[in-house]
């Protein structure tokens, strides 16, 4: 645990738009909320998807995500509560649990399963998809589990706790950094009556998703289960988040790739031809 002195911002970004997620089902029948959908690919480039899952009813999660392929992007799974077992075609296996994170670079291809390892209790967390630049879409797959105690965190003098999942915040660097898209991913816990400022590169597209309580960003309130897309303002060097009541949220930012995006389910490439190739490779057992 670190303490950190908060940066003083010249100007905070504001909220451009609030987004409500869409209830959906994925995998073998997992009920979840898709917060970032294909409609926001352009606006939130380099992020392709954000799923939020939160339930204490095993019927919502027990079916899990049996073997399925991915190609062309990265998946970041952050578990607030629960236990999920990962196995993949490269022979990796790991258990993701309370406060832990798993980072997978699918690259040219991985086939994996993500299955609950609990029969009851709460399962809550997020899966974020981060695009790969065209030059890296066919890179070798890679994956790593980060248990909760390997995710750096700091607490401000006011008692705000920030877990730094990717990138850095107020001088505290995450265990994971990525070139090109330079993602920032923070889990921020604000007691009532506190605020947090953190710098963000002006190049980055950014959003918050509130999962407890409510926060203020500029003049706008962001309630629980809402995404707030942060405005891209050349003069704004970061964001200030204010909590009148206790609140928890994730803050995600990344540098856009500005490349064509063609998605077919679990494959995200730059051209239709590359999608056909991915399907062909998968069907003929050459994907992974
Ligand atoms: Fe997957």
């Amino acid at each position: 645990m670190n303490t950190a002195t908060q940066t003083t911002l010249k100007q905070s970004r504001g909220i451009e738009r609030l987004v409500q997620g869409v209830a959906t089902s994925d995998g073998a029948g997992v009920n979840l909320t898709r917060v970032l959908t294909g409609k926001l690919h352009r606006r939130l480039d380099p992020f392709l998807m954000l799923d939020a899952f939160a339930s204490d009813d095993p019927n919502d999660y027990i079916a899990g995500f049996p073997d399925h392929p991915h190609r062309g992007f990265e998946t970041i799974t952050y578990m607030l509560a629960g236990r999920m077992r990962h196995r993949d075609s490269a022979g990796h296996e790991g258990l993701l649990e309370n406060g832990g994170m798993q980072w997978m670079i699918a690259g040219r291809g991985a086939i994996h399963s993500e299955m609950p390892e609990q029969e009851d209790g709460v399962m809550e967390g997020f899966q974020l998809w981060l695009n790969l630049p065209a030059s890296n879409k066919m890179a070798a797959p890679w994956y790593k589990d980060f248990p909760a105690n390997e995710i750096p965190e700091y607490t401000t003098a006011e008692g705000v706790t920030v877990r730094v999942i990717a990138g850095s915040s107020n001088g505290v660097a995450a265990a994971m950094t990525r070139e090109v898209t330079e993602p920032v991913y923070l889990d921020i816990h604000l007691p009532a009556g506190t605020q947090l400022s953190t710098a963000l590169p002006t190049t980055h597209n950014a959003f918050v998703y509130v999962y407890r309580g409510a926060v203020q960003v500029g003049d706008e309130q962001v309630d629980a289960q809402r995404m707030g897309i942060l405005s891209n303002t050349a003069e704004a060097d970061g964001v200030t988040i204010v909590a009148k009541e206790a609140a928890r949220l994730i803050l995600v930012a990344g540098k856009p790739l500005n490349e064509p995006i063609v998605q077919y389910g679990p494959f995200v490439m730059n051209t239709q031809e590359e999608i056909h190739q991915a399907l062909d490779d998968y069907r003929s057992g050459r994907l992974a």
Side-chain angles (χ1 to χ4, degrees), residues 16 25 59 77 85 122 173 182 218 233 238 250 257 261 272 278:
E16 174 183 298
S25 174
N59 293 318
T77 311
R85 171 82 54 186
V122 177
E182 300 169 11
T233 308
I250 54 171
L257 292 167
I261 299 166
Q272 208 54 250

Side-chain angles (χ1 to χ4, degrees), residues 14-97:
I15 297 289
E16 174 183 298
R17 178 153 51 122
L18 295 170
V19 177
Q20 183 170 4
V22 181
T24 187
S25 174
D26 207 342
V30 176
N31 293 322
L32 49 80
T33 303
R34 188 144 295 160
V35 183
L36 197 173
T37 64
K39 288 177 191 165
L40 292 169
H41 278 174
R42 222 5 98 197
R43 177 61 188 86
L44 291 177
D45 180 9
F47 301 103
L48 299 165
M49 192 187 83
L50 177 72
D51 280 349
F53 48 93
S55 177
D56 60 3
D57 178 355
N59 293 318
D60 284 331
Y61 59 72
I62 207 75
F65 301 85
D67 272 349
H68 60 278
H70 293 289
R71 174 179 279 182
F73 58 100
E74 317 188 22
T75 67
I76 303 136
T77 311
Y78 179 49
M79 200 72 137
L80 296 167
R83 293 158 62 84
M84 186 94 90
R85 171 82 54 186
H86 162 102
R87 286 192 180 88
D88 71 28
S89 48
H92 301 127
E93 180 172 344
L95 182 66
L96 181 60
E97 55 186 335

Side-chain angles (χ1 to χ4, degrees), residues 224-247:
Q225 278 80 56
R226 292 292 181 280
M227 167 196 265
I229 297 177
L230 299 184
S231 53
N232 293 49
T233 308
E235 307 79 47
D237 50 351
V239 64
T240 298
I241 296 158
V242 179
K244 290 178 190 161
E245 56 177 296

Side-chain angles (χ1 to χ4, degrees), residues 25-27 34 36-38 41 47-51 65 68-75 104 106-107 110 112 114 127-131 137 261-272 274-276 278-279 282-283 287:
S25 174
D26 207 342
R34 188 144 295 160
L36 197 173
T37 64
H41 278 174
F47 301 103
L48 299 165
M49 192 187 83
L50 177 72
D51 280 349
F65 301 85
H68 60 278
H70 293 289
R71 174 179 279 182
F73 58 100
E74 317 188 22
T75 67
M104 182 176 82
H112 74 160
E114 301 153 288
Q127 187 170 86
L128 178 70
W129 288 11
L130 169 63
N131 208 356
K137 280 187 178 289
I261 299 166
V262 183
Q263 175 170 13
Y264 181 81
F267 308 124
V268 183
M269 304 301 289
N270 303 110
T271 69
Q272 208 54 250
E274 290 167 340
I275 292 293
H276 291 144
L279 280 164
Y282 179 52
R283 288 176 184 143
L287 180 108

Side-chain angles (χ1 to χ4, degrees), residues 127-167:
Q127 187 170 86
L128 178 70
W129 288 11
L130 169 63
N131 208 356
L132 278 165
S135 55
N136 288 342
K137 280 187 178 289
M138 296 298 276
W142 179 93
Y143 125 108
K144 188 172 171 167
D145 284 308
F146 297 85
N149 63 8
E150 288 179 22
I151 297 180
E153 61 179 58
Y154 65 86
T155 302
T156 68
E158 279 190 317
V160 178
T161 298
V162 179
R163 309 194 72 224
V164 188
I165 297 160

